[in-house]
Amino acid sequence: QKIETSVKRARTITHQLLGNVRKSESILAEVNVAQLVEETIQLIHGEAKDNDVTLSLQAAEGLKPIWVDPNQVRQVLINLLSNAIHATSKGGLVSIQVEPADKGIAIAVSDTGHGIPKENLTKIFEPFYSTKSPGEGTGLGLFVTREIVDKFGGTVEVVSRIGHGTRFTVQIPNQAKVRGDGQLTVGKDIQ
């Protein structure tokens, strides 16, 4: 049993590392981010239910779709939501807010968990850093999250208070621009 658990953990670490270092091109699509968040919440709903944590979504009215890689945004959301769920005590709340941001969209994931000590805030994005018990986490979720968001040209900010919870805010810029001639450019043509 211990060997099987260790093999599964090693497989997870390997897949996350390979997914991070692979030089694949992003597959951009026009994405309704609020809808993508709803779909991701459905994927992770069972984990929240098992931990007796309530998930709440608040999306601003009239959000416009943006051009972005939906699979990578989904991975960011899964990482943030999973961490928030595990940091929150039974009966707690994880809330997700989606709103327009400068040249893109902002997604905030807040929990009512135990919070992150100030001395750990600088370490949480390092690979293999985890406060979870051995075998419970790879320490790669936030590292991969930051790598993805950096690749988009976005930002990740974290605010935390011990005993009150943590809030991660991810800003993702639209990966498409309208050129001077009115044509839409996506991907490499973006300056």
Side-chain angles (χ1 to χ4, degrees):
Q1 176 103 15
K2 287 181 181 180
I3 292 170
E4 285 181 14
T5 302
S6 294
V7 167
K8 286 179 185 175
R9 185 168 189 269
R11 183 182 306 129
T12 301
I13 290 170
T14 304
H15 284 292
Q16 285 182 320
L17 284 173
L18 288 174
N20 187 52
V21 298
R22 201 175 290 135
K23 298 292 183 192
S24 61
E25 289 292 315
S26 292
I27 299 170
L28 299 180
E30 192 173 25
V31 176
N32 177 327
V33 176
Q35 186 177 356
L36 181 67
V37 172
E38 282 183 46
E39 292 168 5
T40 307
I41 287 172
Q42 290 304 313
L43 289 174
I44 208 154
H45 178 72
E47 189 175 342
K49 188 175 179 181
D50 290 346
N51 287 282
D52 191 23
V53 172
T54 302
L55 297 175
S56 167
L57 171 61
Q58 298 169 344
E61 293 283 325
L63 285 172
K64 294 180 180 175
I66 64 170
W67 283 87
V68 71
D69 183 333
N71 293 322
Q72 291 188 336
V73 173
R74 187 178 292 110
Q75 184 64 55
V76 165
L77 289 167
I78 288 171
N79 291 345
L80 293 177
L81 288 170
S82 181
N83 282 355
I85 289 166
H86 289 279
T88 304
S89 300
K90 290 190 179 298
L93 173 69
V94 172
S95 60
I96 306 98
Q97 294 176 305
V98 184
E99 52 195 34
D102 188 34
K103 300 178 184 173
I105 205 129
I107 303 167
V109 176
S110 305
D111 64 57
T112 57
H114 45 74
I116 302 169
K118 190 179 268 188
E119 63 271 14
N120 291 350
L121 285 174
T122 57
K123 302 174 190 172
I124 59 173
F125 293 103
E126 293 176 7
F128 303 111
Y129 179 80
S130 179
T131 57
K132 294 178 183 173
S133 301
E136 289 186 23
T138 62
L140 291 172
L142 289 176
F143 170 71
V144 169
T145 295
R146 174 163 269 171
E147 292 291 309
I148 291 170
V149 174
D150 284 351
K151 191 164 74 171
F152 287 152
T155 60
V156 181
E157 295 175 359
V158 59
V159 177
S160 188
R161 283 182 50 208
I162 298 297
H164 289 64
T166 303
R167 178 183 180 96
F168 283 88
T169 304
V170 175
Q171 290 202 16
I172 301 171
N174 193 347
Q175 300 296 298
K177 285 193 172 185
V178 178
R179 298 189 323 211
D181 60 5
Q183 290 203 341
L184 183 71
T185 60
V186 180
K188 294 179 184 177
D189 296 331
I190 298 173
Q191 298 294 329

